[in-house]
Amino acid sequence: MTRAPRPNFFHHLHPPTIPARQSRLRYTLGAGGISIFLVLILIVTGILEMFYYVPTPEGAALSIQTITYHAPLGALVRNLHFWSAQVLMIVMGLHLVRVVFTGAYGAPRRFNFVLGVLLMGVVILLNFTGYVLRWDEGIQWALVVGTNLLKTVPVAGDALYGIVAGGSEPGASTLTRFYAWHLFGLAVPAIFFIGWHIFRVRRDGGIAVPPPAARTESQRISRFQLVEREVVAMLIVGGGLLVFSALVPAPIAPPITDISASASHTDAPWFLLWIQRLLAWGDPFLLGVLVPFAVLTLLAVFPYILPKPDESELGRWFPRSNRSARLILALLVVAIALLTLVPQ
């Protein structure tokens, strides 16, 4: 008689069994597990970079060059950190699309959906602050225009700017503030919310599936098989990232000598290009602050303002009962993609 394997810590993070149909890659896209894997890469590579990074205006860009050109395997570590952050943005977006387009956001998963949207906002800010930490000529739009948007907030604008930037204009304390925000104001809360998000997945019943009476397949897979699939996915993603990072360097530019938004490089980072394009149309507070905030807020309240997807239609793509949610998200994605990809 063959003795069943004993589950370890990682197995206990998963339910004992899940329906085979809802475990397939074409349903989950593997986006949740891959996101966690990318976060682990970012934590490890970020810690390694901290040994060399100097968070001062005089030393930041030079320390990035030291990491890239002189530290053992420094270029690979930095490239892995940079590209993992970019891929994480895309994978989290796919994860959001998958959840909405399969109707997996209704009760009892409503609160966890809000946590997921909050996490997406934190990851965007982590990318933004990490981008500025390079402190080279390539980040001047993000530094000047991005922070100046805070000043447009009525009443509290100047105070918010002072809290984030450390003064009335970008200076020596700005980089120190951004370094602190990146590590303690964003990364630490992100780790907490990720743990909470994972806990809620288990507490809310795991992956969304239809009631037993509505299921067309009875086959299930064990937690051991699920972990094996996740490990394979991590190896594929990790291998691809390793090869890509070895071949494609992360952006690097000369140190900032004059902080100005009118420098030769005036593009925002790709994930904020759509906001930069909006700013060309009019009021910076309305288009640069309220619109992005409204987009995240609208996503977060999906489960509360839209009809709950029919439970019998869960566990598959494009349930008829959530057409309105799919339409709204599709319009948002198309609008942001057009603003990002179509040149001005």
Side-chain angles (χ1 to χ4, degrees):
M1 181 178 177
T2 303
R3 188 174 183 179
R6 186 175 182 179
N8 59 31
F9 170 78
F10 298 102
H11 292 122
H12 280 296
L13 294 175
H14 304 77
T17 63
I18 65 171
R21 181 175 181 178
Q22 282 73 42
S23 69
R24 293 168 184 163
L25 186 62
R26 63 175 177 265
Y27 176 72
T28 66
L29 304 180
I34 292 172
S35 295
I36 300 300
F37 178 61
L38 291 170
V39 168
L40 294 176
I41 294 176
L42 286 167
I43 291 173
V44 173
T45 54
I47 291 173
L48 292 174
E49 287 182 307
M50 288 172 63
F51 284 99
Y52 289 89
Y53 182 71
V54 180
T56 64
E58 300 79 16
L62 294 177
S63 66
I64 295 295
Q65 294 179 17
T66 299
I67 292 171
T68 304
Y69 301 119
H70 301 292
L73 298 178
L76 181 61
V77 170
R78 178 173 178 260
N79 294 345
L80 275 172
H81 190 79
F82 178 83
W83 292 119
S84 294
Q86 312 312 304
V87 174
L88 178 61
M89 297 276 291
I90 297 171
V91 173
M92 288 189 71
L94 289 175
H95 188 46
L96 174 68
V97 169
R98 198 280 299 174
V99 170
V100 172
F101 276 57
T102 58
Y105 55 82
R109 297 173 177 82
R110 293 190 302 181
F111 179 71
N112 207 25
F113 182 81
V114 176
L115 276 180
V117 174
L118 176 63
L119 264 173
M120 177 171 285
V122 172
V123 168
I124 292 172
L125 292 176
L126 273 167
N127 266 277
F128 174 73
T129 54
Y131 182 83
V132 171
L133 290 182
R134 286 163 41 195
W135 207 254
D136 60 28
E137 292 179 355
I139 62 92
Q140 295 199 70
W141 185 95
L143 175 62
V144 178
V145 180
T147 54
N148 278 342
L149 285 175
L150 292 173
K151 292 183 177 180
T152 67
V153 177
V155 182
D158 290 338
L160 288 173
Y161 185 92
I163 292 171
V164 172
S168 59
E169 60 184 22
S173 62
T174 303
L175 181 57
T176 305
R177 292 289 181 102
F178 268 72
Y179 189 58
W181 277 110
H182 188 72
L183 291 180
F184 305 110
L186 294 169
V188 172
I191 293 171
F192 170 77
F193 285 123
I194 288 170
W196 195 2
H197 190 63
I198 295 172
F199 166 75
R200 291 292 308 211
V201 170
R202 284 295 309 273
R203 183 175 179 179
D204 296 341
I207 197 165
V209 296
R215 296 174 193 171
T216 58
E217 296 181 15
S218 59
Q219 184 181 3
R220 303 178 71 86
I221 67 167
S222 68
R223 56 173 44 142
F224 301 99
Q225 294 170 290
L226 185 57
V227 169
E228 287 175 2
R229 294 182 183 183
E230 290 176 342
V231 170
V232 170
M234 290 177 186
L235 289 174
I236 294 173
V237 172
L241 262 176
L242 196 62
V243 172
F244 191 84
S245 298
L247 297 175
V248 183
I252 191 168
I256 291 177
T257 55
D258 178 31
I259 299 175
S260 170
S262 60
S264 58
H265 183 92
T266 57
D267 279 343
W270 68 269
F271 52 89
L272 296 179
L273 266 178
W274 67 284
I275 297 178
Q276 183 183 25
R277 304 278 164 75
L278 283 176
L279 288 173
W281 294 358
D283 182 74
F285 174 66
L286 174 63
L287 299 173
V289 178
L290 279 186
V291 169
F293 181 76
V295 169
L296 284 176
T297 302
L298 176 61
L299 291 174
V301 299
F302 262 22
Y304 299 93
I305 64 174
L306 296 176
K308 180 183 177 182
D310 192 326
E311 289 188 0
S312 65
E313 295 184 316
L314 295 179
R316 62 184 178 86
W317 285 84
F318 311 117
R320 295 181 179 179
S321 53
N322 83 326
R323 287 176 177 171
S324 55
R326 300 201 314 267
L327 177 61
I328 294 171
L329 182 61
L331 290 175
L332 287 175
V333 170
V334 170
I336 292 173
L338 288 175
L339 286 169
T340 300
L341 298 175
V342 176
Q344 286 183 321

